[in-house]
Amino acid sequence: MEREVQRVRQAFLSGRSRPLRFRLQQLEALRRMVQEREKDILAAIGSDLCKSELNAYTQEVISVLGEIDFMLENLPEWVTAKPVKKNLLTMLDEAYLQPQPLGVVLIIGAWNYPFVLTIQPLIGAIAAGNAVIIKPSELSENTATILAKLLPQYLDQDLYIVINGGVEETTELLKQRFDHILYTGNTAVGKIVMEAAAKHLTPVTLELGGKSPCYIDKDCDLDIVCRRITWGKYMNCGQTCIAPDYILCEASLQNQIVQKIKETVKEFYGENVKESPDYERIINRRHFKRILSLLEGQKIAFGGETDEATRYIAPTVLTDVDPKTKVMQEEIFGPVLPIVPVKNVDEAINFINEREKPLALYVFSHNHKVPVEWELIMENILSILFLISVPVY
Amino acid sequence: MKDTPGSTNLLTKLDSAFVRKEPFGLVLIIAPWNYPVNLTLVPLVGALAAGNCVVLKPSEISRGTEKVLAEVLPQYLDQSCFAVVLGGPEETGQLLEHKFDYIFFTGEGARSGSVMTAAAKHLTPVTLELGGKNPCYVDDDCDPQIVANRVAWVPILQRRQTCVAPDYLLCSPEMQERLLPALQSTITRFYGDDPQSSPDLGRIINQKQFQRLRALLGCGRVAIGGQSDERDRYIAPTVLVDVQETEPVMQEEIFGPILPIVNVRGVDEAIEFINRREKPLALYAFSNSSQVVNQMLERTSSGGFVGNDGFIYMSLPSVPLGGVGHSGMGRYHGKFTFDTFSHHRACLLCPTGLEKLNNIRYPPYSDRGQQLARWALGSQSCTLL
């Protein structure tokens, strides 16, 4: 492991990855890889998550191509030095900020969107002139294998390498020294990554998760709200870091919400969800069992059907959920949607603030008096992504 | 503080996309002793400007400042949003067991590892303003007197207990011969024949640091200065020559008025020397040739870089101060401080009407829908995740 990292470091020290032309060439090669080998890539993602080619394309490949194009268009400008304002003492000087590569970057990918969550950071790392070690998630085996096969065929083989393996290999890798580590995954492992990075004073980017709340105000168009939530929640079988994890709303709304989600699920996935080509499966048996255990003792208002052989869990909604139960203690990362009744928006805000800051936060309301309250919410609730539905003006 | 609008693509054209800067929450600022007022208050200003509450831990080594800050700050700041905590390493360790939303640490590299490890337990983001050995390359093609003035100036002012001060010089033996008299002449001009009696020279902060520095005087050969006075914690502005890379003076950040000169033959050897070592906080290069200065800039990495001067960029709020590698992570000064202490929250406000337009993103999916989606997401980057 140490030898591999050293090899990549030597390649970086040669200076090859720094010139703009080289970076653009590598990005163009990556683009060619995605286009020429699209079928192989889609097949790999498809086998990992039981995802149709169409969905694998729109959920992953399209973002990667978009990101590469965006980088190719803007990189020539981004690499240039940016002059800054000077004062009297420095009037005769040239003062500017010059972006420079950090060195050897480690990217640890995730399994839920195994292609884009590994390649999108790679694109940025290459664009910034670094050498990169890519460690795809071992849970999405087929994608990990295809990446190890394809990347060396298109990219510089000494500057960008793929290292595959499980917990043991990743632990060994984290003992090595990097100049930046980007990790996508769960909070518990995030802490391990940061602790390992601390030994070398390596800066980290941690894309984690959490329980993303979704507040539904009594004054909203429930039809539209439920369509949007159904879409966000059950995409990729709920295995999305920014999926609405649970709903907060007044108790009286629960039945309507359940009904409308039920109707939307039928519209999206048909009478027999199991047969829909647009509905994925849980990544592996361990997560399947984990999600199943969250249903224990809960009031299943809709869904709840499972099939262990195919790792299928039906789109499920739970009502009158007790915040102290297991389903409200961990990130669900599955197609189970608990509804926790609250009295009003203030109680919702308190509920959210008592918990860890989420990655995403969703609010649905039609009430234009409410923007004032939403200002309060926005001041009180701190999270990465905040989506709010307001009336069209 | 204003929201920064973000560009939208066709799928989000009717939405309002923006980045809102919000406070993190509770910030811990751990400050050092070398510029005890500035390095405590400048981060504090940024943290408060970004809307955070702050716990301040000034350095116990700069005792006078510590006392004044603890007495004066609560008289001016809201006491429910702000607190000063006093103590040494043990108390700091206890403080670090608590959860903060951001930790800003200025100090030595050796302590920073434990700060980041403690932060990792709560996944607390950190800024670490550290230090290191800042090289100063002096090319053969430059005026030694100008170099001497610019290098000896501010660093000596604070007894070179400055994280961005040039720590050591790299130059050829021939340039060294020309530099030494120039340095001597500068020191005499700034501080007189008896620098110990000059009112413009500070003292070493405490006995421990004094002893450490005095031991370094045994490295290489003293070419200028070398005197010390224990009662006064005074060490004369000193230049050492014939210094080996393996000697203690080249192994640790000096943080004192001792300037070692290491000989190299030309800019290539200097670059190799620098790149063999940890990335410094500041890197200085003196040369009349802009080619040489550019080579130094392009082939090395450091927090900051200065061509043909010894310090001045610290006075520019538009240029951030921050390290890379072992010299630190994160940066601040001016707007960079505000940005450091702000969480940049991505926001999207969508209309509830015109739901029909969203139909292409809902299942069941068809080839036609996919084509539309491909076109709509288009050339502007969009991540569905």
Side-chain angles (χ1 to χ4, degrees):
Chain A
M1 199 67 78
E2 199 183 324
R3 254 203 324 266
E4 286 292 276
V5 177
Q6 269 306 99
R7 182 165 70 83
V8 175
R9 188 164 287 287
Q10 285 311 312
F12 174 75
L13 290 172
S14 73
R16 223 163 51 248
S17 64
R18 304 174 88 116
L20 173 65
R21 230 179 96 165
F22 179 85
R23 305 183 203 184
L24 294 172
Q25 262 169 16
Q26 293 297 302
L27 292 174
E28 278 156 1
L30 196 56
R31 194 179 210 294
R32 268 199 322 276
M33 180 192 94
V34 176
Q35 286 174 313
E36 286 169 11
R37 312 303 286 265
E38 184 182 295
K39 284 267 172 261
D40 295 327
I41 293 168
L42 296 179
I45 300 170
S47 346
D48 285 328
L49 287 148
C50 298
K51 191 177 296 216
S52 70
E53 272 195 17
L54 215 84
N55 287 350
Y57 185 85
T58 48
Q59 288 172 17
E60 298 212 46
V61 171
I62 225 173
S63 304
V64 167
L65 290 174
E67 185 89 349
I68 296 176
D69 286 341
F70 191 69
M71 217 53 89
L72 289 172
E73 196 184 316
N74 291 287
L75 193 57
E77 201 262 311
W78 288 348
V79 297
T80 56
K82 304 286 172 295
V84 296
K85 228 163 114 174
K86 300 184 285 193
N87 57 18
L88 213 61
L89 279 178
T90 47
M91 235 351 128
L92 299 173
D93 308 332
E94 273 179 62
Y96 52 91
L97 295 181
Q98 174 68 64
Q100 290 191 310
L102 290 167
V104 179
V105 171
L106 171 64
I107 293 172
I108 303 178
W111 54 259
N112 56 331
Y113 291 91
F115 186 67
V116 66
L117 292 180
T118 314
I119 301 298
Q120 198 158 9
L122 173 64
I123 293 166
I126 294 176
N130 300 287
V132 190
I133 294 187
I134 301 128
K135 162 68 189 76
S137 170
E138 67 278 16
L139 263 59
S140 42
E141 269 184 78
N142 297 290
T143 311
T145 307
I146 203 80
L147 286 176
K149 181 173 163 208
L150 293 182
L151 286 173
Q153 291 177 17
Y154 287 82
L155 299 181
D156 184 303
Q157 294 186 16
D158 295 313
L159 283 167
Y160 316 109
I161 71 169
V162 177
I163 295 184
N164 272 323
V167 172
E168 212 183 295
E169 285 80 3
T170 311
T171 309
E172 261 321 295
L173 199 50
L174 283 170
K175 288 187 188 152
Q176 309 307 317
R177 185 174 169 184
F178 297 96
D179 300 295
H180 196 98
I181 300 176
L182 189 145
Y183 167 75
T184 308
N186 67 57
T187 306
V189 177
K191 290 184 185 174
I192 296 172
V193 171
M194 191 170 169
E195 276 182 43
K199 291 189 173 49
H200 297 290
L201 288 178
T202 299
V204 297
T205 298
L206 305 173
E207 295 287 334
L208 308 176
K211 293 184 76 61
S212 300
C214 178
Y215 176 69
I216 303 177
D217 191 42
K218 58 182 182 291
D219 185 1
C220 72
D221 183 333
L222 266 186
D223 283 323
I224 291 177
V225 167
C226 291
R227 283 171 74 78
R228 295 181 181 185
I229 290 175
T230 305
W231 173 61
K233 176 67 182 185
Y234 299 116
M235 182 192 298
N236 207 34
C237 211
Q239 297 164 119
T240 306
C241 53
I242 44 173
D245 186 279
Y246 65 95
I247 290 178
L248 292 169
C249 66
E250 282 181 28
S252 57
L253 289 177
Q254 286 188 103
N255 287 340
Q256 288 179 74
I257 291 172
V258 170
Q259 188 52 36
K260 289 180 194 297
I261 291 180
K262 192 171 168 184
E263 283 159 16
T264 312
V265 164
K266 189 165 155 195
E267 184 193 330
F268 286 0
Y269 305 111
E271 285 283 357
N272 189 349
V273 177
K274 225 176 166 190
E275 283 170 17
S276 165
D278 298 322
Y279 193 73
E280 288 86 1
R281 299 292 183 268
I282 302 303
I283 184 78
N284 65 14
R285 208 130 279 163
R286 179 169 67 86
H287 278 282
F288 174 87
K289 290 190 150 82
R290 178 186 64 79
I291 298 165
L292 219 59
S293 73
L294 301 178
L295 297 177
E296 282 162 28
Q298 297 295 345
K299 215 192 279 181
I300 298 178
F302 162 67
E305 300 89 13
T306 65
D307 175 11
E308 189 166 337
T310 52
R311 301 185 318 271
Y312 167 82
I313 298 181
T316 302
V317 180
L318 311 173
T319 47
D320 295 314
V321 175
D322 178 352
K324 291 195 286 294
T325 52
K326 201 170 171 207
V327 75
M328 286 304 293
Q329 302 305 314
E330 59 181 76
E331 186 176 0
I332 295 167
F333 228 63
V336 171
L337 182 59
I339 303 181
V340 177
V342 290
K343 288 201 193 64
N344 49 37
V345 68
D346 288 318
E347 198 178 303
I349 293 174
N350 287 341
F351 187 94
I352 294 168
N353 281 350
E354 275 164 14
R355 293 170 157 66
E356 291 296 339
K357 295 177 191 180
L359 184 50
L361 197 157
Y362 301 90
V363 179
F364 288 91
S365 175
H366 222 170
N367 186 346
H368 39 245
K369 266 197 283 182
V370 165
V372 174
E373 286 183 64
W374 292 143
E375 280 298 310
L376 287 173
I377 293 184
M378 284 161 90
E379 275 163 26
N380 287 317
I381 302 171
L382 306 177
S383 68
I384 300 289
L385 209 62
F386 177 68
L387 275 78
I388 174 176
S389 241
V390 295
V392 179
Y393 299 114
Chain B
M1 266 182 70
K2 280 202 212 134
D3 295 336
T4 314
S7 59
T8 51
N9 57 20
L10 211 58
L11 274 184
T12 47
K13 261 296 169 258
L14 297 174
D15 309 333
S16 162
F18 56 92
V19 175
R20 174 161 293 194
K21 285 138 224 152
E22 298 179 346
F24 275 103
L26 184 58
V27 170
L28 170 64
I29 295 174
I30 302 176
W33 52 260
N34 56 331
Y35 290 88
V37 174
N38 181 294
L39 295 179
T40 312
L41 296 186
V42 171
L44 176 64
V45 162
L48 294 176
N52 299 286
C53 288
V54 184
V55 170
L56 197 62
K57 165 66 192 72
S59 172
E60 70 281 11
I61 293 174
S62 44
R63 272 190 244 122
T65 313
E66 189 199 28
K67 188 160 178 280
V68 166
L69 287 176
E71 277 170 18
V72 168
L73 282 171
Q75 294 174 26
Y76 289 84
L77 297 179
D78 185 324
Q79 294 193 38
S80 64
C81 297
F82 168 80
V84 180
V85 172
L86 304 182
E90 202 184 308
E91 286 79 7
T92 310
Q94 284 170 9
L95 197 52
L96 284 168
E97 281 167 24
H98 294 271
K99 180 178 175 180
F100 292 94
D101 300 302
Y102 203 95
I103 297 177
F104 188 101
F105 171 84
T106 310
E108 337 164 56
R111 286 179 60 204
S112 62
S114 56
V115 171
M116 191 172 168
T117 305
K121 292 187 170 50
H122 299 289
L123 287 173
T124 300
V126 298
T127 291
L128 304 174
E129 294 282 333
L130 310 176
K133 293 186 74 61
N134 302 321
C136 179
Y137 172 66
V138 183
D139 195 37
D140 284 345
D141 177 14
C142 64
D143 180 340
Q145 193 56 64
I146 290 181
V147 174
N149 293 348
R150 296 180 183 189
V151 165
W153 166 54
V154 175
I156 295 288
L157 191 69
Q158 188 67 325
R159 317 301 275 124
R160 290 182 69 244
Q161 295 166 115
T162 305
C163 56
V164 291
D167 185 277
Y168 64 96
L169 293 191
L170 289 168
C171 68
S172 66
E174 295 76 29
M175 174 46 84
Q176 182 179 296
E177 288 310 301
R178 295 161 65 201
L179 258 181
L180 287 174
L183 281 166
Q184 179 65 76
S185 137
T186 301
I187 290 169
T188 310
R189 191 154 49 91
F190 287 179
Y191 310 111
D193 289 317
D194 179 23
Q196 193 171 4
S197 56
S198 161
D200 295 322
L201 269 183
R203 293 296 182 262
I204 304 304
I205 184 78
N206 60 19
Q207 273 301 324
K208 183 171 164 211
Q209 293 295 329
F210 173 83
Q211 299 296 349
R212 180 185 67 79
L213 287 165
R214 197 164 64 171
L216 297 179
L217 291 172
C219 300
R221 175 173 61 83
V222 173
I224 297 176
Q227 302 86 0
S228 63
D229 180 347
E230 194 167 337
R231 283 164 309 142
D232 200 15
R233 297 195 315 273
Y234 166 81
I235 293 185
T238 300
V239 178
L240 302 175
V241 296
D242 299 336
V243 172
Q244 299 305 312
E245 210 179 323
T246 46
E247 292 186 80
V249 78
M250 286 305 294
Q251 297 301 313
E252 57 182 80
E253 188 177 357
I254 296 166
F255 229 64
I258 300 170
L259 186 64
I261 302 182
V262 174
N263 291 138
V264 289
R265 298 220 150 275
V267 67
D268 287 322
E269 202 180 309
I271 290 173
E272 266 173 60
F273 186 93
I274 292 167
N275 283 347
R276 275 205 300 275
R277 309 166 82 79
E278 292 299 337
K279 294 177 190 178
L281 185 52
L283 203 157
Y284 300 89
F286 284 89
S287 176
N288 287 331
S289 156
S290 59
Q291 230 185 355
V292 167
V293 172
N294 278 332
Q295 274 214 60
M296 209 20 114
L297 171 60
E298 274 161 34
R299 290 164 58 192
T300 60
S301 181
S302 63
F305 177 89
V306 183
N308 293 318
D309 209 334
F311 197 73
I312 204 75
Y313 85 100
M314 290 286 280
S315 75
L316 267 185
S318 54
V319 171
L321 171 66
V324 63
H326 278 200
S327 56
M329 58 180 79
R331 55 195 188 159
Y332 76 122
H333 278 178
K335 180 155 187 298
F336 297 97
T337 327
F338 173 80
D339 286 336
T340 291
F341 288 115
S342 298
H343 165 50
H344 294 228
R345 190 179 191 189
C347 305
L348 194 67
L349 303 188
C350 316
T352 45
L354 303 177
E355 181 62 4
K356 280 243 175 298
L357 289 180
N358 281 332
N359 282 347
I360 58 167
R361 68 183 193 189
Y362 299 140
Y365 299 117
S366 61
D367 276 326
R368 173 107 179 93
Q370 186 203 27
Q371 277 165 30
L372 268 176
R374 279 193 203 221
W375 172 72
L377 289 165
S379 64
Q380 280 192 334
S381 155
C382 166
T383 307
L384 288 176
L385 312 167

